[in-house]
Amino acid sequence: MHGLLAMLLAGLPATALATRTAAQREGDTAAAASVPAEDAPAAPFKFTTGLYRTAGAGQPTSTGLDVNLRYQGDVGDLWVGAFRAPVGDLSQLRGGWDHSFTLGPVRLLPSVQWASGGFAGGSLNLETGTRWYAGAGLGRTNLRNYVNLNFDPNDAWMLSAGYRWSEARYVGMQVVRDNREHPDQQHVHLVARLPTDAGHAVFLDLLDKRGTLDDGRYIHRHGASMTYSWPQVFVRLAYDPKVNFTLQNQWRVSVGTRF
């Protein structure tokens, strides 16, 4: 994985992919996940605003702003987004589509994604099982510059498994490992969605990250994300050490609404 969000904020090249994993639902990337969404919508539209604070390693501290709008309907999920950061006067528009098709005991989850500047990507995932489930997938891009708000390794293979009591309550694990440019970079996510008696829900994502950084050091770090969801509003806080396998750490705060 060469260059990603933190490197873009430092003015260096970046690339990304279109697959959506448990952690990638923090952004608005096209889907192909084996874990249900942490905030199964009661309304077709979801609007999210996020602030991404990146700092450390003697590089300039930067706060990026992202907004995205997602629509869920019979054709699948359609979304558009815009990102802007003051360092390097960086801005980019992007959009995508994802859907789930049931083929007997198997679910097929394709996605496509585009962004200004010539980026294009896609993914294909397969999943089977109802209560107990398992899935596998692959993502590929054209390696053009892109503001990566996915945060997981790009151009990667993915494996996932877990247990669902319902679409609203589940636990699962997902492995995402780069298999193109940096094959030792890997994320492992342990995720859980826990509804409350008040009709609210908590989504937890614990991250195990390991791989080689830009300066050649091999690291093993842990991060986490927590989302608290009301029927129409949600808030999310995340910490991602060595974000996108760069030298910097990142805090993310997001708020959103459904309508």
Side-chain angles (χ1 to χ4, degrees), residues 18-21 24-25 28-35 37 70 77 79 96-100 108-113 122-125:
T19 52
R20 185 179 74 168
T21 69
Q24 291 161 1
R25 291 188 187 89
D28 56 5
T29 56
S34 296
V35 181
R70 176 177 289 271
D77 283 13
W79 56 266
W97 166 87
D98 58 73
H99 200 16
S100 176
L108 180 68
L109 301 99
S111 74
V112 294
Q113 187 179 24
S123 68
L124 185 64
N125 278 247

Side-chain angles (χ1 to χ4, degrees), residues 18-26 29-38 70 77 97-101 107-111 123-129 133-138 152 158-161 164 167 170 173-176 189 191 203:
T19 52
R20 185 179 74 168
T21 69
Q24 291 161 1
R25 291 188 187 89
E26 295 188 32
T29 56
S34 296
V35 181
E38 75 275 16
R70 176 177 289 271
D77 283 13
W97 166 87
D98 58 73
H99 200 16
S100 176
F101 299 93
R107 290 174 294 279
L108 180 68
L109 301 99
S111 74
S123 68
L124 185 64
N125 278 247
L126 295 174
E127 179 188 280
T128 188
Y133 68 88
L138 182 70
D152 278 332
M158 292 147 281
L159 296 175
S160 57
R164 299 179 181 128
E167 290 297 298
Y170 60 82
M173 179 175 288
Q174 186 163 43
V175 180
V176 185
H189 297 275
V191 298
F203 179 77

Side-chain angles (χ1 to χ4, degrees), residues 167-205:
E167 290 297 298
R169 184 190 298 270
Y170 60 82
V171 294
M173 179 175 288
Q174 186 163 43
V175 180
V176 185
R177 189 177 181 95
D178 192 299
N179 69 345
R180 192 173 186 182
E181 294 190 298
H182 300 276
D184 70 338
Q185 293 180 349
Q186 174 181 285
H187 280 183
V188 178
H189 297 275
L190 177 64
V191 298
R193 188 185 194 277
L194 308 171
T196 71
D197 293 338
H200 305 169
V202 177
F203 179 77
L204 300 174
D205 181 350

Side-chain angles (χ1 to χ4, degrees), residues 1-8 13-21 24 29 113 119-123 137-158 176-187 209 243-246:
M1 180 191 334
H2 172 60
L4 295 171
L5 177 61
M7 294 184 70
L8 271 171
T15 59
L17 89 160
T19 52
R20 185 179 74 168
T21 69
Q24 291 161 1
T29 56
Q113 187 179 24
F119 171 85
S123 68
L138 182 70
R140 278 292 180 266
T141 76
N142 61 359
L143 297 178
R144 298 292 294 274
N145 287 351
Y146 180 69
V147 181
N148 178 29
L149 303 182
N150 298 326
F151 305 109
D152 278 332
N154 298 322
D155 293 284
W157 57 259
M158 292 147 281
V176 185
R177 189 177 181 95
D178 192 299
N179 69 345
R180 192 173 186 182
E181 294 190 298
H182 300 276
D184 70 338
Q185 293 180 349
Q186 174 181 285
H187 280 183
K209 174 198 296 265
V243 60
N244 294 323
F245 292 95
T246 65

Side-chain angles (χ1 to χ4, degrees), residues 23-108:
Q24 291 161 1
R25 291 188 187 89
E26 295 188 32
D28 56 5
T29 56
S34 296
V35 181
E38 75 275 16
D39 46 13
F45 290 96
K46 182 172 74 171
F47 180 77
T48 306
T49 300
L51 291 175
Y52 305 115
R53 180 75 168 178
T54 310
Q59 300 183 29
T61 298
S62 179
T63 301
L65 172 66
D66 181 70
V67 294
N68 63 76
L69 177 66
R70 176 177 289 271
Y71 170 78
Q72 185 178 63
D74 293 339
V75 298
D77 283 13
L78 298 168
W79 56 266
V80 293
F83 177 85
R84 182 171 179 81
V87 175
D89 193 26
L90 173 67
S91 63
Q92 191 167 52
L93 301 175
R94 62 197 190 282
W97 166 87
D98 58 73
H99 200 16
S100 176
F101 299 93
T102 300
L103 305 173
V106 176
R107 290 174 294 279
L108 180 68

